[in-house]
């Protein structure tokens, strides 16, 4: 009997289409795996009946000879930042506990239209703010990976899409949605040895995704290989008139365009990413990546992105500034938590509701954002950060004169243990140092597995492309995937 | 324009006024959502997910609202900014679901322009003054709190939440309550001509924030106060008068004006403090990251310009060229509705002078008596043209026309039908008129003698008597002619 947990998106889609197995069999097998993996805490809500219902619809369509969608019969996990009609949507916050939207986000609706089914809503860092999943109100997700030191230290699955990364690595689902504001798809993908792509800003509609930082938020797929990412991105992307920043462009046939022959492509290696004291394993993996791409026919060039060191500070001004305003709507008036102490007035209600509803990291970022937008500080922080953002975008523009893609590590280190970094927010923020520049510039960027470190933990290689050139990014990812021989998996300890 | 001065104990004071007028943009749907802007609906019946700021909702700009703002800018000869941007104004209040108002602080869609006002628009000799416009920007309205629905709670109605407003900001060029009134009237008239706002102050479609300061004539600007949300021209003038006097009294008694926000209480006819600068909000304005900058292309601007109607100042000049008096031209153009009524009469073939005289004396008089506005007139331009046509072609006399018009107002019958039915046709039958003239001269021999010995004024008496005898139906021209011949 087929072990459906070992099949990816393409394999399930093709198997269902060819009649090798029924979509319902896949859904039921994965429902069982989800239900048995509570120890990972990857799901906030499980929706086995929805996975089955979607699968039944696909099976019925196939039986009736109707054309099947791009994701027909593929059960997936949905990051709990996407509003789903009739299913609790929390952003992993107490603030939205019990909130059941009457509407479906554009991206999730696109996936259902393509024939995917929902296994459940995946845990994440609260309001997508975090790099370890430790800020979730519903408890942190645990990575299925363990260090090879024989210890049982629980490791971070990365964040904010940590439920997504953990569930895919643990083979609870072949793919899941993620959102990336400053690395929230790429960093968790790197931490658990899977692939994930953040497309060009505007490719995927933001409508119905609980907003963190509007000018940076972008949805994307996470899966176990590059092809699966390409398939799922095709299903997710597309112009949406309900999102004013949505790009009015046709969705390319990325899967059909996959080609790992990189002849004629120039790969830029940014010297500023080679930080002093760079992790030895990371440096080695990066060198391997360079060798693989060369082997695939690409030319390697040295490039400079001179403003890289200002990216992280700029990001931690812009993202909190937008968040402080985006999260103002959680006020206890119309939906979500309301804390109305006896005899309280409106202001008291705001204070009590927001103090009780938001976790510490969310409150910290609201405070930072409020501060940097305040009269007297606005120019010194926000305006300055926007200038830096423009310079970072220009760095990339200049780089494209001499290269077509950029290769860098996804993160400065492998996954850390839960609790190791949360005492010091700054060291946590440093995790995003390689991910943030592409976010600020709105460029497509992908993480693919690059190898294991000395502790036996996965590391990710990041490919950054020109705006709208997801195809080149996916192709380089495929070239790496074909050469890295990355087959490592987490042991099934749960 | 007017030398408005407040007499204080320490001498004369000058008043400096600037107005920020919020005008609701005429549009079917809201600024960033498809919800209706209809007035007077059940609470919370015009509220979309976007208006209620549900999680994950995004604003989508309504081009029609931007178009109306651009057309308004063009109507006041303002600079139109091809590149503008929306900003968020952040503050918490229960009537503000997003926790911020989407507005335009840094890059408004319309820049500097001006409006020429006359203190008395109906007096052609009244001096004029140009009031500078600093900017027009587009922003969202808030919802409404209802405090009278529940003993301990306030309810929120979000029907207005997200409705598009234009904020039209004047320069502090206004020097008296009268000028402020003239400015607001003129602005209202322009908005109604353009069709970008219905100007209905009672329904809150237009309201003004009034900035007032006082200074010794020509001196340094004083500290200003801002009186919020004044919703009638009369109240605004009263608020300025009160506020300027209050500031003078305060300064002269050794106090200082505090920069603050005030409210006008029309019952007590006074302004009072709402909040001072110290507890002013820090709105943390920043560019709305959900929205792209607004870029206007040539075709869009061209369409805006081409769709602008003739504006009051241009109309007035044209009417004078048609032979109307300056006064009539001014009255007919002061309100768009009047001008459109007048032009409908011309379109029906009525002579300009005849149309303007009839409109201003007969129609206005009748409406006044009935307590109706022009929109509610029982007689429409087509019906009026029929009546005036009967006068013009000599079918009835002017005085008969008055009678016919009264019947029209009551019965809504057509003029020709009334004339026919009541036998009011004017007669040119010289024989009949001559017979009556002979009778009148015989009965008034003394007056005939007086007239012939030089008392010319008596001619009117004979005309009156003849018309009366003819029951008003004689052609006055013929009557005059025959009388002149008979009296010698």
């Amino acid at each position: 009997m087929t072990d459906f947990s070992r099949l990816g998106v393409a394999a399930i889609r093709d198997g269902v289409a060819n009649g090798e197995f029924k979509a319902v069999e896949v859904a039921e097998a994965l429902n069982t795996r989800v239900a048995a993996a509570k120890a990972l805490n990857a799901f906030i809500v499980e929706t086995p009946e929805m996975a089955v219902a979607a699968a039944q619809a696909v099976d019925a369509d196939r039986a009736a000879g109707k054309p099947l969608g791009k994701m027909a019969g593929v059960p997936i996990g949905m990051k709990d930042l996407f509003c789903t009609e009739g299913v609790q949507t929390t952003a992993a916050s107490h603030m939205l506990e019990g909130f059941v939207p009457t509407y479906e986000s554009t991206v999730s609706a696109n996936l259902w239209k393509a024939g995917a089914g929902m296994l459940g809503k995946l845990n994440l860092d609260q309001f997508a703010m975090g790099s370890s999943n430790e800020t979730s109100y519903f408890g942190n997700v645990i990575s299925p990976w363990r260090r090879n030191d024989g210890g049982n230290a629980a490791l971070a699955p990365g964040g904010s899409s940590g439920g997504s990364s953990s569930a895919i690595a643990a083979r609870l689902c072949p793919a899941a949605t993620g959102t990336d504001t400053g690395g929230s798809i790429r960093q968790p993908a790197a931490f658990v040895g899977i692939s994930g792509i953040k497309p060009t800003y505007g490719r995927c509609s933001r409508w119905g995704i609980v907003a963190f930082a509007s000018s940076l938020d972008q949805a994307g797929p996470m899966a176990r290989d590059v092809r699966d990412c390409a398939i799922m991105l095709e299903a997710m992307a597309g112009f949406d008139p309900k999102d004013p920043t949505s790009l009015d462009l046709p969705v390319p046939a990325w899967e059909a365009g996959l080609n790992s022959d990189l002849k004629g492509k120039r790969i830029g290696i940014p010297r500023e990413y080679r930080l002093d004291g760079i992790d030895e394993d990371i440096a080695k993996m990066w060198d391997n990546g360079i060798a693989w791409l060369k082997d695939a026919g690409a030319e390697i060039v040295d490039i400079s992105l001179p403003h890289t060191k200002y990216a992280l500070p700029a990001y931690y001004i812009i993202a909190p500034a937008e968040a402080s305003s985006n999260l103002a709507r959680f006020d206890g008036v119309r939906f979500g938590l309301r804390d109305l102490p006896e005899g309280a007035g409106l202001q008291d209600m705001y204070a009590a509701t927001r103090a009780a509803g938001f976790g510490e990291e969310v409150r910290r970022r609201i405070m930072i954002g409020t501060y940097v937008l305040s009269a007297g500080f606005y120019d010194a922080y926000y305006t300055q950060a926007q200038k830096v953002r423009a310079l970072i975008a220009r760095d990339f523009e200049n780089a494209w004169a001499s290269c077509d893609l950029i290769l860098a590590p996804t993160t400065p280190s492998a996954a850390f243990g839960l609790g190791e970094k949360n005492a010091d927010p700054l060291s946590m923020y440093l995790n995003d140092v390689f991910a943030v520049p592409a976010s600020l510039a709105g460029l497509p960027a992908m993480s693919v597995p690059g190898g294991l470190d000395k502790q036996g933990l996965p590391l990710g290689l990041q490919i950054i492309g020109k705006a709208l050139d997801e195809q080149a990014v996916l192709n380089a990812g495929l070239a790496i995937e074909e050469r890295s021989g990355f087959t490592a998996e987490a042991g099934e300890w749960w | 324009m007017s030398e408005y001065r407040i007499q204080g104990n320490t001498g004369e004071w000058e008043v400096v006024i600037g107005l920020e007028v919020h005008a609701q943009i005429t549009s079917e749907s809201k600024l960033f959502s498809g919800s209706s802007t209809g007035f007077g609906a059940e609470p919370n019946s015009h509220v979309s997910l976007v208006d209620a700021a549900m999680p994950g909702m995004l604003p989508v700009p309504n081009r029609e609202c931007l178009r109306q703002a651009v057309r308004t800018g063009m109507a006041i000869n303002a600079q139109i900014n091809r590149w503008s941007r929306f900003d968020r104004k952040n503050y918490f209040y229960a009537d503000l679901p997003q926790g911020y108002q989407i507005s335009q602080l840094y890059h408004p869609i319309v820049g500097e322009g001006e409006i020429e006002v006359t203190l008395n628009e109906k007096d052609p000799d009244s001096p004029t003054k140009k009031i500078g416009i600093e900017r027009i920007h587009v922003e969202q309205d808030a919802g409404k709190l209802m405090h009278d629905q529940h003993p301990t709670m306030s309810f929120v109605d979000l029907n207005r939440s997200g409705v598009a407003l234009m904020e039209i900001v004047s320069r502090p060029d206004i020097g008296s309550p009268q000028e402020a009134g003239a400015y607001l009237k003129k602005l209202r008239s322009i908005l109604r001509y353009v069709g970008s706002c219905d100007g209905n102050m009672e329904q809150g479609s237009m309201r003004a924030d009034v900035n007032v300061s006082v200074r010794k004539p020509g001196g340094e600007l004083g500290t200003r106060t801002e009186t919020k949300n004044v919703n009638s021209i009369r109240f605004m003038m009263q608020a300025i008068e009160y506020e300027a006097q209050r500031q003078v009294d305060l300064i002269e008694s050794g106090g200082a004006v505090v920069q603050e926000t005030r409210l006008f209480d029309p019952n007590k006819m006074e302004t009072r403090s709402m909040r001072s600068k110290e507890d002013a909000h820090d709105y943390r304005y920043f560019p709305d990251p959900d929205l792209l900058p607004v870029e206007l292309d040539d075709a869009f601007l061209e369409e805006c310009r081409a769709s602008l109607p003739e504006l009051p100042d241009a109309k007035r000049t044209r009417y004078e060229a048609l032979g109307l008096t300056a006064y009539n031209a001014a009255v007919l153009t002061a309100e768009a509705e009047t001008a459109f009524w007048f032009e409908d009469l011309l379109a029906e073939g009525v002579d300009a002078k005849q149309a303007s005289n009839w409109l201003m004396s007969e129609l206005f008089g009748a409406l006044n008596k009935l307590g109706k506005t022009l929109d509610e007139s029982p007689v429409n331009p087509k019906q009026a043209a029929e009546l005036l046509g009967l006068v013009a072609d000599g079918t009835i006399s002017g005085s008969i026309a008055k009678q016919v018009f009264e019947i029209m107002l009551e019965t809504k019958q057509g003029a020709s039908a009334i004339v026919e039915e009541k036998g009011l046709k004017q007669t040119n039958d010289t024989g009949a008129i001559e017979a009556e003239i002979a009778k009148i001269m015989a009965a008034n021999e003394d007056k005939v003698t007086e007239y012939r010995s030089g008392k010319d004024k008596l001619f009117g008496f004979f005309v009156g008597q003849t018309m009366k005898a003819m029951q008003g139906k004689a052609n006055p021209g013929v009557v005059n002619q025959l009388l002149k011949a008979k009296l010698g």
Side-chain angles (χ1 to χ4, degrees):
Chain A
M1 199 187 126
T2 317
D3 177 359
F4 293 113
S5 80
R6 308 218 68 87
L7 302 187
V9 173
I12 295 172
R13 176 197 63 184
D14 294 345
V16 168
N18 300 336
E20 288 165 41
F21 43 77
K22 291 255 188 294
V24 168
E25 295 175 66
V26 184
E28 281 170 351
L30 294 178
N31 278 339
T32 307
R33 279 189 70 78
V34 168
K38 300 254 194 290
L40 299 176
N41 199 30
F43 285 85
I44 294 174
V45 172
E46 295 168 20
T47 56
E49 68 298 335
M50 296 184 84
V52 168
Q56 282 169 340
V58 168
D59 287 336
D61 280 353
R62 186 180 176 277
K66 290 188 192 161
L68 300 180
K70 290 182 203 307
M71 297 277 291
V74 183
I76 59 167
M78 185 60 59
K79 187 177 183 179
D80 200 21
L81 201 62
F82 293 81
C83 290
T84 43
E85 187 178 348
V87 179
Q88 176 185 255
T89 300
T90 65
S93 178
H94 183 39
M95 184 62 92
L96 282 175
E97 195 173 6
F99 171 66
V100 178
T102 57
Y103 48 94
E104 185 78 33
S105 84
T106 299
V107 163
S108 56
N110 287 348
L111 286 164
W112 312 147
K113 247 181 281 161
M118 183 162 81
L119 292 163
K121 302 296 292 284
L122 291 161
N123 206 345
L124 65 149
D125 277 299
Q126 193 166 152
F127 283 100
M129 297 174 186
S131 305
S132 65
N133 241 273
E134 289 166 290
T135 71
S136 169
Y137 176 73
F138 302 99
N140 57 264
V141 178
I142 297 173
S143 169
W145 288 84
R146 297 237 160 127
R147 290 182 180 123
N148 59 9
D149 57 6
N152 285 334
L155 299 181
S160 66
S161 310
S164 307
S165 66
S166 181
I168 295 166
R171 302 192 315 279
L172 310 183
C173 53
T177 53
T179 61
D180 191 316
T181 303
S184 281
I185 287 175
R186 292 161 285 159
Q187 184 256 18
F191 272 18
V192 302
I194 63 166
S195 298
I197 180 167
K198 174 194 93 71
T200 309
Y201 181 80
R203 277 282 194 206
C204 290
S205 169
R206 293 184 295 115
W207 194 88
I209 303 175
V210 178
F212 164 12
S214 311
S215 74
L216 297 156
D217 295 345
Q218 191 51 210
M222 298 168 75
R224 285 195 296 269
D225 65 32
V226 172
R227 176 172 301 270
D228 287 358
C229 286
I231 295 168
M232 187 160 161
L233 183 57
E234 270 183 57
M236 294 168 72
F239 174 61
D240 180 5
K242 290 186 289 189
D243 173 0
T245 58
S246 172
L247 294 168
D248 190 359
L249 294 171
V251 178
W254 286 304
E255 186 195 9
L258 283 176
N259 177 359
S260 58
D261 180 354
L262 302 186
K263 232 171 263 138
K265 290 282 177 201
R266 297 162 303 166
I267 311 290
I269 309 299
R271 68 181 73 108
E272 289 79 8
Y273 282 50
R274 209 170 277 276
L275 305 172
D276 288 340
I278 187 170
D279 182 285
E280 202 180 294
D281 291 331
I282 294 282
K284 209 175 101 207
M285 172 202 59
W286 197 1
D287 289 339
N288 288 339
I290 292 170
W292 295 327
L293 292 180
K294 223 188 265 182
D295 181 60
E299 180 195 338
I300 305 298
V301 292
D302 243 1
I303 59 159
S304 173
L305 300 169
H307 297 91
T308 298
K309 67 175 166 190
Y310 304 113
L312 199 65
Y315 173 84
Y316 274 99
I317 289 168
I318 292 167
E322 293 183 12
S324 71
S325 178
N326 281 337
L327 269 57
R329 66 187 55 198
F330 302 101
D331 58 5
V333 175
R334 299 166 317 287
F335 52 80
L337 182 72
R338 171 185 291 178
D339 193 341
L340 184 61
E342 188 61 33
L346 186 62
Q347 295 299 327
D348 308 310
M349 183 179 88
Y350 289 150
T353 300
R354 291 167 66 82
F358 291 138
E360 191 188 352
E361 182 61 24
V362 175
R363 277 181 276 140
R364 177 175 9 254
R365 297 204 195 186
I366 291 174
M367 293 287 279
I368 293 170
T370 304
Y371 179 81
V372 299
L373 291 177
S374 298
F377 300 104
Y378 179 81
D379 282 335
Y381 290 101
Y382 187 80
T383 307
Q384 200 65 17
Q386 288 293 4
K387 285 183 194 162
V388 169
R389 186 175 187 174
L391 290 172
I392 297 220
R394 209 170 65 190
D395 279 359
F396 282 108
E397 277 308 310
N398 292 338
W400 301 137
S402 52
C403 67
D404 306 301
L405 291 162
I406 291 168
L407 181 73
T410 307
T411 60
S413 72
F416 45 85
L418 290 166
E420 279 176 16
K421 291 200 188 228
N422 52 9
D424 178 8
L426 275 184
S427 81
M428 188 72 91
Y429 295 170
L430 272 172
N431 248 285
D432 301 327
V433 69
F434 296 137
V436 153
S439 294
L440 288 171
L443 300 175
M446 176 167 209
S447 180
V448 293
L452 298 175
D453 74 351
K454 281 193 279 297
Q455 306 176 96
L457 296 180
L459 300 173
L461 276 168
Q462 181 182 210
I463 304 139
I464 303 169
K466 297 175 189 170
L468 304 179
D469 200 2
E470 286 83 4
Q471 189 70 65
V473 173
L474 291 162
N475 287 350
L478 185 63
I480 292 172
E481 185 178 281
E482 287 173 357
R483 287 163 179 79
S484 66
F486 187 89
T487 54
E489 281 180 10
E492 207 163 314
W493 52 263
W494 56 91
Chain B
M1 171 160 86
S2 58
E3 284 287 293
Y4 181 80
R5 294 287 185 267
I6 291 176
Q7 291 300 328
N9 299 327
T10 61
E12 289 195 330
W13 294 82
E14 192 175 54
V15 185
V16 178
I17 303 156
L19 295 181
E20 294 167 20
V21 175
H22 295 263
Q24 181 181 331
I25 295 176
T26 302
S27 65
E28 292 291 313
S29 51
K30 296 182 180 180
L31 181 53
F32 294 111
S33 84
S35 309
S36 162
T37 57
F39 180 78
E42 278 292 297
N44 295 314
S45 59
H46 293 337
V47 186
S48 71
L49 296 168
V50 175
D51 306 323
M54 299 303 284
M57 291 302 103
L58 299 172
V60 178
N62 177 347
R63 290 291 276 189
E64 177 59 16
C65 297
L66 302 177
R67 180 176 167 271
Q68 291 292 28
V70 168
R71 294 174 73 245
T72 305
M74 287 173 167
I76 58 162
N77 293 316
Q79 186 199 322
I80 307 299
N81 294 322
R82 285 166 168 268
W83 193 96
S84 65
R85 206 174 59 185
F86 285 103
D87 302 302
R88 290 186 183 176
K89 177 181 181 178
N90 295 284
Y91 64 97
F92 284 96
Y93 203 56
D95 65 5
L96 191 73
Q98 295 164 144
Y100 52 84
Q101 177 196 35
I102 305 179
S103 181
Q104 297 188 301
L105 176 71
Y106 297 107
H107 298 278
I109 193 160
V110 175
E112 288 191 42
E114 60 182 23
I115 293 179
E116 189 173 80
V117 301
T118 53
L119 205 49
N120 181 356
E121 65 200 3
K122 296 178 183 175
D123 174 4
D125 299 322
S126 172
T128 64
K129 179 175 176 176
K130 284 181 175 158
I131 307 294
I133 303 291
E134 192 181 304
R135 58 190 283 158
I136 300 177
H137 66 254
V138 176
E139 63 186 24
Q140 295 176 303
D141 204 351
K144 194 177 74 181
L145 291 192
M146 299 185 288
H147 301 292
D148 53 359
Q149 309 284 313
H150 188 276
T152 60
M153 282 192 275
S154 293
F155 287 8
V156 190
D157 175 9
L158 296 179
N159 281 352
R160 287 192 69 87
S161 167
V163 165
L165 304 176
M166 282 181 280
E167 183 170 330
I168 303 154
V169 183
S170 86
R171 295 218 167 272
D173 291 347
I174 301 167
S176 70
Q178 291 72 27
E179 280 182 27
Y183 166 80
L184 201 53
K185 266 187 225 157
K186 184 66 176 280
L187 175 61
R188 185 169 171 273
S189 163
I190 291 171
L191 295 177
R192 287 158 69 98
Y193 265 98
V194 170
S196 57
C197 170
D198 66 20
N200 193 327
M201 297 191 83
E202 299 80 57
Q203 290 181 3
S205 300
M206 221 178 136
R207 47 193 198 262
D209 296 345
V210 188
N211 289 288
V212 176
S213 66
V214 297
R215 64 177 174 187
K216 286 295 170 85
E220 293 268 301
L221 278 176
T223 303
R224 69 186 161 87
T225 62
E226 182 180 24
T227 304
K228 284 269 190 201
N229 281 334
V230 186
N231 65 356
S232 90
I233 293 176
R234 190 164 53 93
F235 290 163
M236 178 192 67
M237 292 169 67
Q238 288 166 347
I240 293 170
E241 225 164 287
Y242 173 86
E243 182 56 21
Q245 187 65 53
R246 184 191 71 87
Q247 291 184 12
V248 168
D249 293 347
L250 187 63
I251 297 167
E252 291 194 332
S253 62
V257 176
V258 187
Q259 189 178 334
E260 61 183 356
T261 304
R262 299 178 70 85
L263 278 180
F264 179 66
D265 181 342
N267 298 318
K268 294 187 179 158
M269 293 264 283
E270 62 179 31
T271 65
R272 56 169 182 269
S273 182
M274 200 166 107
R275 58 173 184 262
S276 73
K277 194 185 172 188
E278 281 70 46
D279 23 78
H281 292 121
D282 180 349
Y283 290 117
R284 292 169 283 124
Y285 277 100
F286 77 113
D288 191 322
D290 279 332
L291 293 163
L292 298 172
V294 178
E295 294 182 65
L296 307 176
D297 59 26
D298 288 340
F300 180 84
L301 296 176
E302 197 41 57
E303 189 284 323
C304 288
R305 199 172 294 284
S307 71
L308 277 188
E310 188 182 28
L311 293 164
D313 290 350
K315 251 190 211 309
R316 192 156 134 183
T317 312
R318 186 165 63 86
Y319 288 4
E320 287 181 34
L322 291 174
L324 268 55
T325 63
Y327 174 76
N328 283 9
V331 173
L332 290 179
T333 52
E335 290 292 345
E337 288 76 9
T338 319
F340 296 153
W341 228 98
F342 172 67
E343 288 179 15
D344 285 346
L345 282 179
L346 300 193
E348 294 287 337
V350 180
D351 168 69
K353 274 197 246 177
Q354 188 196 9
S356 90
N357 289 336
W358 180 82
L359 234 162
M360 293 185 50
S361 54
E362 302 303 320
L363 183 62
F364 284 0
L367 291 176
N368 221 358
K369 241 185 272 169
L370 294 169
K372 293 193 178 211
T373 66
L374 194 55
D375 284 340
E376 303 158 344
S377 166
V379 170
N380 66 33
K382 203 178 165 70
Q383 295 165 324
E386 186 186 337
L387 173 67
L388 295 173
L390 295 175
V391 177
D393 69 11
T395 310
I396 57 172
S397 66
S399 56
I400 292 289
K402 287 182 206 222
Q403 292 176 36
V404 174
F405 181 48
E406 273 183 28
I407 299 169
M408 284 170 73
L409 288 173
E410 270 172 41
T411 65
K412 305 212 163 73
Q413 262 180 297
S416 307
I418 296 169
V419 169
E420 202 60 45
E421 192 186 306
K422 310 253 171 196
L424 297 173
K425 249 189 196 156
Q426 176 166 274
T427 177
N428 298 325
D429 177 349
T430 47
I433 300 171
E434 275 174 352
E436 292 301 333
I437 290 176
K439 274 189 234 165
I440 290 161
M441 286 174 67
N444 296 283
E445 276 180 15
D446 50 336
K447 292 213 165 64
V448 174
T449 316
E450 278 179 54
Y451 176 82
R452 287 184 175 150
S453 59
K455 205 165 175 191
D456 289 353
K457 276 186 190 160
L458 280 170
F459 189 74
F461 165 79
F462 289 107
V463 173
Q465 290 295 309
T466 311
M467 291 301 285
K468 196 173 160 193
M470 293 297 297
Q471 293 167 310
K473 286 183 273 184
N475 182 326
V478 176
V479 170
N480 276 359
Q481 213 181 334
L482 294 176
L483 271 174
K484 283 228 167 87
K486 299 284 170 194
L487 289 167

